[in-house]
Amino acid sequence: MSDFTDLWNEIAPIGRADSGGYLRYALTEPELTLRDWFRTQAARRDMLVTDDGNGNLFAWRGEPWAPGTVLTGSHFDSVPHGGGYDGPLGIVSAFLAADRVAKSRSIAIAAFCEEEGGRFGVPCLGSRLLTGAIAPQQAGALKDRDGISFAEALGKTPDGAQPARIGNLKAFVELHVEQGRALETPVGVASAIWPHGRWRMDFAGVGDHAGTTRMTDRHDPMLTFAFAVLAANKEARLTGAHATVGRVQVEPNATNAIPSLVRGWLDARAADTGTLDQLVDGVVRKVTERAGRDGTSLTVTPESVTDEVAFDEALAKQLAARLGNVPILPTGAGHDAGVLSAHVPTAMLFVRNPTGVSHSPAEHATDEDCEAGIEALAAVLEELS
Amino acid sequence: MSDFTDLWNEIAPIGRADSGGYLRYALTEPELTLRDWFRTQAARRDMLVTDDGNGNLFAWRGEPWAPGTVLTGSHFDSVPHGGGYDGPLGIVSAFLAADRVAKSRSIAIAAFCEEEGGRFGVPCLGSRLLTGAIAPQQAGALKDRDGISFAEALGKTPDGAQPARIGNLKAFVELHVEQGRALETPVGVASAIWPHGRWRMDFAGVGDHAGTTRMTDRHDPMLTFAFAVLAANKEARLTGAHATVGRVQVEPNATNAIPSLVRGWLDARAADTGTLDQLVDGVVRKVTERAGRDGTSLTVTPESVTDEVAFDEALAKQLAARLGNVPILPTGAGHDAGVLSAHVPTAMLFVRNPTGVSHSPAEHATDEDCEAGIEALAAVLEELS
């Protein structure tokens, strides 16, 4: 077995569900187990581990936050029943790349907290806190589905922005499994992250008896919700964007009751901000009109909206050339690298995803491609540090 | 305060949620508290309480199951956040009507178990068991959302059918709040229950990343589900029937993941079986076609389908005349009376519902109309016993 296979197998069982996917929500038991594993790996390499008071862990070769440090790493947390590669591949690869980089280099490895937003609803929560993109009080008050706040889970109100520390970083490089089918070589370099966001749509109607209420007397918010799902799909196809409604809550959610409230989340992404705005505006306009006909109401709340991230173009070209002219490609997925890029020269390496499937138990990358990713990351860390 | 107001206020706080509606699921703590209250009420009236090994309680004036007994009563359990009248009104009214009926009459009061199907999915579960409409093993294996089986909740496999006992009943009369806006007098008599049923629709697709998966590569079951919601609504309007999708489950139910599975329940009702069949067949045909276009699949499982119930016509006319020529009207709502009616001469009394709202915290009947209901029920019990 390769170094990669050995280390990968250590974490493979942690948080795995019967579905074959992972339940590794931020600061829950499986993710805490992975954090312990992170500390063990760091200790084996004589790397000091610190946390930043925001839920993010860092392992340092050299002085913590020393000027000129090149940071790499990713996140442990998963979406519900997500794949094993999305996040952890970047941390496992970081430790193995560190083994192949000269000991004199100032490098560090990060495990960012709540990248998926799977528990507290705001993706990249750890990196947003560290960079000041979200206020500590606001982040601390976010609640999970059981009503536990982020501050409770963390054990404190997060410390928030640390600009002086981030300013000392020379670069951040995140290695990540590619999540579409756009990459046909083992490794590529990111050009940009599409602008994207999450909008909560609350459809309010009048709860009533499913058997006795005449169709013409109804104010059924499920109808407006269903219309919104189809409208978002159509609008995305027309504009060449991506739109998904993957999460729903219904009150009271009973077979024989017309719902009083349906809550759906719109995930929308596009190659540029104009297209994204056009998509969301189009959906909201059409659904509001439909709500009028259904006798229901629609309230839209943007939960997190991120403008386009263009990674440092010169850096991307430099790294692609260093790796043998590998492809440079954009992605529709958000990443901590996107948040960091506003503050630090930032790059991303992608490892090929043969099926393009991600956020699913079927997510996969070959061991050979993962090995190529580690080699590439080691070369990039040598190049930059 | 009237007798009704006093007794009603005793149970009003039990199982009440912040919504103002009730969480009184069968055999959970609030419903068990209501059963204790039932025993207390029976004891105050020197009525012996028995259970039938199926979760149903009976309070007897006279020998249990003595030939010629007239049974009344209803159920305690609620839909999630349902109103307080649907079910309990029939039991509270039964005790107060018993107080107004000569002590020599052989009457009994029932509290049927799991009428709503809100916990174990099959409505009228207790009365179905008692009459043999469902097998004890099958009923016992039904599970609630936490995986607890009905047999576990009951503490035993249910006893099942008791035809000799039911055969001894002279009549069953259930008093219930009306659930539409069809009744314009304080009290009415039921003619029939529309044929109705619940069909579980499993929409299967391919889970994937919401950000990176091209629209044309998707197999998104949420689209097919949304189409089904709108198709059911349209088909119901065209056929003059009622159709509702009020309950949904999504896997994994994450904002940034295309679902792998969406499960929705179709509640459909119509004035006759032909129309109901036409409705459900039409929905299934159109949704199956759509699933083909979405690259998803649809599996439909009938969970409970009940043919039309026509209550004893002569009995209905007799009671309507006895009550001063009150209206005789059908209902779209299922009731234990519908199950019993295949085995015992059965009638229903409805109490006016001024807004028609039911299965909602806003469900309401006036104290005056409830008093009129008690008077009517007492008259009917005198008439029949």
Side-chain angles (χ1 to χ4, degrees):
Chain A
M1 289 204 295
S2 69
D3 288 358
F4 172 73
T5 318
D6 283 347
L7 207 55
W8 193 248
N9 287 345
E10 284 189 17
I11 65 164
I14 300 168
R16 184 169 236 163
D18 289 343
S19 64
Y22 288 90
L23 302 173
R24 291 170 170 170
Y25 303 119
L27 303 174
T28 64
E29 192 270 328
E31 208 241 7
L32 295 172
T33 303
L34 289 164
R35 287 165 179 262
D36 287 342
W37 175 91
F38 181 93
R39 292 174 191 279
T40 304
Q41 291 301 316
R44 282 190 195 158
R45 291 166 176 82
D46 294 324
M47 297 174 84
L48 181 68
V49 174
T50 67
D51 76 71
D52 66 351
N54 293 312
N56 307 312
L57 285 183
F58 298 88
W60 303 93
R61 179 177 288 168
E63 194 72 17
W65 302 109
T69 303
V70 176
L71 181 67
T72 184
S74 190
H75 63 94
F76 283 127
D77 66 301
S78 76
V79 298
H81 302 279
Y85 293 84
D86 180 352
L89 181 64
I91 299 175
V92 168
S93 299
F95 280 115
L96 294 173
D99 294 340
R100 301 175 194 192
V101 170
K103 297 288 179 260
S104 58
R105 308 289 184 151
S106 290
I107 59 171
I109 299 172
F112 287 106
C113 188
E114 180 71 343
E115 192 270 347
E116 299 288 2
R119 183 170 177 195
F120 297 101
V122 175
C124 301
L125 188 60
S127 56
R128 283 180 206 258
L129 276 162
L130 178 62
T131 58
I134 189 171
Q137 290 295 344
Q138 185 191 344
L142 294 170
K143 292 200 170 165
D144 71 8
R145 296 177 197 199
D146 296 325
I148 298 168
S149 73
F150 180 64
E152 286 172 298
L154 191 64
K156 59 184 280 192
T157 298
D159 286 355
Q162 293 158 38
R165 287 176 159 184
I166 302 171
N168 276 350
L169 295 176
K170 188 171 177 195
F172 175 55
V173 183
E174 180 169 3
L175 179 145
H176 205 283
V177 66
E178 217 268 302
Q179 294 173 289
R181 292 189 302 162
L183 181 61
E184 296 178 349
T185 54
V187 174
V189 175
S191 59
I193 297 176
W194 280 16
H196 60 280
R198 300 173 176 196
W199 289 262
R200 196 181 78 223
M201 303 180 290
D202 290 335
F203 303 90
V206 178
D208 212 329
H209 193 293
T212 54
T213 313
R214 289 181 292 198
M215 299 307 286
T216 48
D217 286 348
R218 298 179 175 214
H219 303 269
D220 183 352
M222 187 69 84
L223 300 179
T224 324
F225 166 78
F227 179 86
V229 168
L230 298 177
N233 180 62
K234 188 172 178 186
E235 208 72 12
R237 286 171 185 262
L238 289 174
T239 56
H242 293 173
T244 311
V245 181
R247 183 176 171 204
V248 187
Q249 279 178 359
V250 182
E251 294 176 11
N253 209 29
T255 306
N256 53 358
I258 299 164
S260 55
L261 182 77
V262 178
R263 184 169 283 154
W265 279 260
L266 172 67
D267 179 303
R269 327 220 183 185
D272 61 85
T273 305
T275 305
L276 184 64
D277 291 347
Q278 184 192 339
L279 165 68
V280 176
D281 290 351
V283 171
V284 171
R285 192 177 64 250
K286 287 175 182 171
V287 176
T288 302
E289 189 189 311
R290 169 79 191 211
R293 296 206 299 282
D294 289 336
T296 58
S297 68
L298 168 67
T299 310
V300 179
T301 310
E303 289 197 336
S304 67
V305 181
T306 305
D307 281 342
E308 184 183 23
V309 171
F311 290 115
D312 187 310
E313 194 179 339
L315 180 59
K317 285 186 175 164
Q318 177 192 345
L319 299 186
R322 172 66 187 78
L323 298 175
N325 294 315
V326 298
I328 302 179
L329 68 167
T331 178
H335 296 287
D336 293 309
V339 177
L340 269 292
S341 72
H343 306 270
V344 187
T346 295
M348 288 193 75
L349 301 183
F350 288 133
V351 171
R352 174 163 59 186
N353 182 331
T355 63
V357 172
S358 187
H359 285 192
S360 157
E363 180 188 78
H364 186 68
T366 66
D367 284 6
E368 292 68 31
D369 286 354
C370 292
E371 274 292 343
I374 294 161
E375 277 301 315
L377 181 58
V380 163
L381 293 176
E382 284 275 2
E383 173 90 3
L384 298 177
S385 64
Chain B
M1 288 203 296
S2 69
D3 287 358
F4 171 73
T5 317
D6 282 347
L7 208 54
W8 192 248
N9 287 346
E10 284 189 18
I11 65 165
I14 301 168
R16 186 168 234 163
D18 289 343
S19 64
Y22 288 91
L23 303 173
R24 290 170 169 172
Y25 303 119
L27 303 173
T28 63
E29 191 270 330
E31 208 242 6
L32 294 172
T33 302
L34 288 164
R35 287 164 177 263
D36 288 342
W37 175 89
F38 182 92
R39 292 175 191 278
T40 303
Q41 290 302 317
R44 281 190 195 160
R45 292 166 176 83
D46 293 324
M47 298 175 84
L48 181 68
V49 174
T50 67
D51 76 70
D52 66 352
N54 293 312
N56 306 313
L57 284 183
F58 298 89
W60 303 94
R61 178 178 289 167
E63 193 73 17
W65 301 109
T69 303
V70 176
L71 181 67
T72 184
S74 190
H75 62 95
F76 283 127
D77 66 301
S78 75
V79 298
H81 301 279
Y85 293 84
D86 179 352
L89 181 63
I91 299 175
V92 168
S93 299
F95 281 114
L96 294 173
D99 294 343
R100 303 177 192 190
V101 170
K103 297 287 179 262
S104 56
R105 307 289 184 151
S106 289
I107 58 171
I109 300 171
F112 287 107
C113 187
E114 180 70 343
E115 193 268 349
E116 298 289 3
R119 183 170 177 194
F120 297 102
V122 175
C124 301
L125 188 62
S127 56
R128 283 180 207 259
L129 276 163
L130 177 63
T131 58
I134 189 170
Q137 290 295 343
Q138 186 191 344
L142 294 170
K143 293 198 168 166
D144 70 8
R145 296 177 198 199
D146 296 325
I148 299 168
S149 72
F150 180 65
E152 286 173 299
L154 191 64
K156 59 183 281 192
T157 298
D159 287 354
Q162 293 157 38
R165 288 176 159 185
I166 301 171
N168 277 350
L169 295 176
K170 187 170 177 197
F172 175 55
V173 183
E174 180 169 4
L175 178 145
H176 204 280
V177 67
E178 216 267 304
Q179 295 174 289
R181 292 189 302 161
L183 182 60
E184 296 179 347
T185 55
V187 174
V189 175
S191 58
I193 297 176
W194 281 15
H196 59 281
R198 299 174 175 194
W199 289 262
R200 196 181 78 222
M201 304 180 289
D202 290 335
F203 304 90
V206 178
D208 213 330
H209 192 295
T212 55
T213 313
R214 290 182 291 197
M215 300 307 286
T216 49
D217 287 348
R218 297 179 176 213
H219 304 268
D220 183 352
M222 188 68 85
L223 300 180
T224 324
F225 166 78
F227 179 85
V229 169
L230 297 178
N233 180 63
K234 188 172 178 185
E235 208 71 13
R237 285 169 185 263
L238 289 174
T239 57
H242 292 173
T244 311
V245 180
R247 183 177 171 202
V248 187
Q249 279 178 357
V250 182
E251 294 176 11
N253 209 27
T255 306
N256 53 359
I258 298 163
S260 55
L261 182 78
V262 177
R263 184 169 283 156
W265 280 260
L266 173 67
D267 179 301
R269 330 219 182 184
D272 61 85
T273 305
T275 305
L276 185 64
D277 291 348
Q278 182 191 340
L279 165 68
V280 176
D281 291 351
V283 171
V284 171
R285 192 176 64 250
K286 287 174 182 173
V287 176
T288 301
E289 188 188 311
R290 169 78 191 212
R293 297 206 298 282
D294 289 336
T296 59
S297 68
L298 169 67
T299 310
V300 178
T301 309
E303 288 196 338
S304 68
V305 182
T306 306
D307 281 342
E308 183 183 24
V309 171
F311 291 114
D312 187 310
E313 194 179 339
L315 181 60
K317 284 184 176 166
Q318 177 191 346
L319 300 186
R322 173 67 186 79
L323 299 175
N325 293 316
V326 299
I328 302 179
L329 69 168
T331 178
H335 295 288
D336 293 309
V339 177
L340 270 291
S341 72
H343 306 270
V344 187
T346 296
M348 288 193 75
L349 301 184
F350 289 132
V351 172
R352 174 163 57 186
N353 183 331
T355 63
V357 172
S358 188
H359 284 191
S360 156
E363 181 188 78
H364 187 67
T366 65
D367 283 7
E368 292 69 31
D369 286 353
C370 293
E371 274 292 345
I374 295 161
E375 277 301 317
L377 181 59
V380 163
L381 293 176
E382 284 276 4
E383 172 90 3
L384 298 178
S385 64

